[in-house]
Amino acid sequence: MYISEIGLYQFRNYDNINIKLHPKLNILYGNNAQGKTNILEAIYICATARSHRTSREKEAIKWEKEEAHIRLFLNKESRIEKIDFHLNKNGKKYVFINEIPVQKLSNLLGIMNIVMFSPEDLQLIKSGPKERRRFLDIELCQIDKIYLYNLQQYYKVLKQRNHLLKSIHLDKGQEAMLEVWDEQLVYFGEKIIESRRDFVNKISNIASMIHANITSNKENLSIEYSPNVKKEIFKDKLKDSLDKDIKTGISSVGPHRDDILFKINNNDVRTYGSQGQQRSVILSLKLAEIDLIKKEINDNPILLLDDVLSELDENRQADLLSNIDNIQTIITCTGIEDLILKKLHKGFLFHIENGFVEPQDSKFL
């Protein structure tokens, strides 16, 4: 799959632009704060129905405007999908696929599969478990509609259970109602645990081979799923934590507290890995994402590289670029490296300045 065209109307610092993209390599270059990342954000929103930069998508509407509109044409399996995404100042979002309104934003997931790689991803190892769970959920929701449904139901039940826990703290007579919510929490929670374990095992196997190649077989990478509770004892652990949960008004057990671990030669990379090792691990992870999505959907995802090449040394840049020949890649950067220019025989180059996009001829750079 690839994006053939994207248009932005009153989105971030853009008034009204339309860009025709190359099926393979597209490079957006220019100084910082000119609007390069805004284009990637628009693509990300059309794929996931959310921004990777803010939880309040209405912030993406141009200053003093009432709405923003993203229009994207996706070439997929010999057909074209037209995605229209509207953002309103009142916080509402409206999506149309081929002119047909989408009733639930979650229905957008899986239409366009993307892999996003930004400097923030390099902090995935150092950051807290919440970010690593977010990584799991974004990837799984793109390729597994059943997982998406189970995740949505789990968090609905979790919200109700937490609300009831707070009520029980004031009125013990409501405790009998917990059993209904506990049964549902366990039912959906077990399915989430199983899906996450399967996904982590798959991506670990792929990332391990990639990492071995990157490090000339000097390092053995493993990615391990660290569930907060095993599904076989989830129900029992809920009962054991009941008194604590009532006191705090929060459910302390379940997959909403899961984590994943990255290890090199059986050592925790978060604790013992150098900065260079941590970057190599994330690079291996991102390349594994691409490979896994290819296998799951039988098509290539779209790769978004947001100013990440400047964070990688030349060898890691080469490892990354050598693995993206067959997929559409959209890169943002402040300058054009020789390594990138060598690939421009099959791509487009755009200069971004103050909300304006100007196609360039790479021969004259």
Side-chain angles (χ1 to χ4, degrees):
M1 71 180 71
Y2 66 92
I3 301 166
S4 58
E5 191 174 333
I6 183 171
L8 306 180
Y9 174 70
Q10 295 180 171
F11 183 88
R12 293 291 186 183
N13 66 329
Y14 293 102
D15 284 317
N16 190 2
I17 64 159
N18 197 70
I19 311 171
K20 293 185 183 297
L21 297 174
H22 193 277
K24 298 301 180 185
L25 183 63
N26 298 272
I27 299 173
L28 315 176
Y29 82 99
N31 292 331
N32 290 325
Q34 300 301 305
K36 303 185 300 294
T37 298
N38 297 343
I39 295 172
L40 299 193
E41 181 185 21
I43 295 171
Y44 191 94
I45 288 174
C46 286
T48 67
R50 60 186 292 181
S51 168
H52 69 292
R53 303 163 79 184
T54 175
S55 60
R56 292 162 57 88
E57 281 78 16
K58 67 179 182 180
E59 294 175 0
I61 299 172
K62 190 175 175 67
W63 181 250
E64 294 186 340
K65 301 297 182 181
E66 293 300 313
E67 65 173 6
H69 177 204
I70 307 165
R71 174 170 291 168
L72 182 148
F73 291 90
L74 178 71
N75 288 52
K76 183 178 181 181
E77 298 174 348
S78 302
R79 70 179 189 274
I80 297 176
E81 303 278 11
K82 177 185 172 187
I83 301 173
D84 285 285
F85 204 110
H86 298 263
L87 301 170
N88 280 9
K89 271 292 186 185
N90 60 14
K92 292 185 178 181
K93 297 179 274 190
Y94 303 94
V95 182
F96 298 82
I97 298 177
N98 299 325
E99 310 288 345
I100 299 172
V102 174
Q103 300 302 319
K104 293 182 179 179
L105 289 175
S106 58
N107 292 339
L108 190 60
L109 288 163
I111 300 293
M112 176 171 64
N113 297 88
I114 61 167
V115 172
M116 180 84 170
F117 193 2
S118 68
E120 289 75 23
D121 289 312
L122 297 170
Q123 300 300 315
L124 186 64
I125 293 172
K126 291 182 179 180
S127 60
K130 181 179 178 181
E131 290 305 311
R132 290 184 285 277
R133 286 193 299 272
R134 183 174 180 267
F135 157 74
L136 284 177
D137 291 340
I138 288 173
E139 298 311 314
L140 272 164
C141 287
Q142 286 194 76
I143 60 177
D144 188 345
K145 290 285 189 181
I146 296 174
Y147 178 84
L148 170 61
Y149 173 78
N150 290 332
L151 188 70
Q152 289 174 328
Q153 296 305 308
Y154 178 83
Y155 276 103
K156 285 180 182 177
V157 174
L158 181 66
K159 183 178 179 180
Q160 292 294 333
R161 186 179 193 268
N162 287 344
H163 180 73
L164 182 56
L165 288 170
K166 293 178 174 68
S167 299
I168 293 171
H169 187 68
L170 302 173
D171 179 9
K172 285 284 188 180
Q174 298 187 54
E175 190 170 327
M177 297 169 61
L178 264 179
E179 185 175 353
V180 175
W181 296 116
D182 285 0
E183 286 181 2
Q184 293 185 58
L185 198 70
V186 170
Y187 177 79
F188 291 111
E190 286 179 348
K191 293 181 180 297
I192 290 170
I193 293 168
E194 190 174 339
S195 295
R196 285 179 176 175
R197 180 182 288 116
D198 182 57
F199 174 82
V200 172
N201 286 340
K202 286 179 180 178
I203 204 165
S204 179
N205 290 335
I206 299 169
S208 177
M209 291 186 287
I210 292 171
H211 195 79
N213 184 54
I214 288 175
T215 62
S216 301
N217 291 310
K218 293 177 183 177
E219 296 179 354
N220 177 35
L221 170 65
S222 63
I223 303 172
E224 299 177 6
Y225 177 44
S226 180
N228 172 259
V229 62
K230 294 180 179 179
K231 72 172 190 174
E232 296 81 8
I233 58 172
F234 189 5
K235 189 173 183 178
D236 292 335
K237 287 293 184 180
L238 275 180
K239 291 180 179 178
D240 293 343
S241 65
L242 181 57
D243 289 341
K244 174 185 175 183
D245 291 355
I246 291 174
K247 287 180 182 177
T248 59
I250 297 173
S251 301
S252 59
V253 176
H256 58 287
R257 291 177 176 264
D258 283 351
D259 201 355
I260 52 176
L261 304 175
F262 300 91
K263 293 184 178 181
I264 290 179
N265 300 333
N266 290 320
N267 293 315
D268 188 347
V269 178
R270 185 181 187 188
T271 305
Y272 300 105
S274 67
Q275 187 177 49
Q277 284 177 316
Q278 290 178 1
R279 293 186 174 193
S280 291
V281 167
I282 295 301
L283 175 58
S284 299
L285 177 68
K286 289 296 171 179
L287 294 175
E289 278 184 62
I290 296 169
D291 196 48
L292 180 56
I293 291 176
K294 281 183 186 179
K295 292 176 180 176
E296 293 291 328
I297 68 171
N298 198 31
D299 197 358
N300 291 321
I302 294 163
L303 179 61
L304 308 178
L305 300 179
D306 186 15
D307 201 25
V308 77
L309 292 178
S310 63
E311 301 291 331
L312 302 174
D313 61 30
E314 190 169 317
N315 288 334
R316 292 187 181 92
Q317 286 183 21
D319 286 327
L320 174 58
L321 294 175
S322 66
N323 280 276
I324 61 175
D325 276 342
N326 296 319
I327 69 173
Q328 186 179 48
T329 304
I330 304 170
I331 299 175
T332 69
C333 54
T334 53
I336 311 298
E337 301 284 345
D338 290 340
L339 197 61
I340 301 175
L341 280 175
K342 290 176 183 177
K343 288 185 169 287
L344 273 178
H345 62 280
K346 54 178 179 180
F348 291 163
L349 181 66
F350 303 91
H351 181 244
I352 313 294
E353 185 173 5
N354 197 28
F356 290 92
V357 180
E358 184 179 353
Q360 302 284 294
D361 188 339
S362 62
K363 291 182 294 185
F364 299 110
L365 292 179

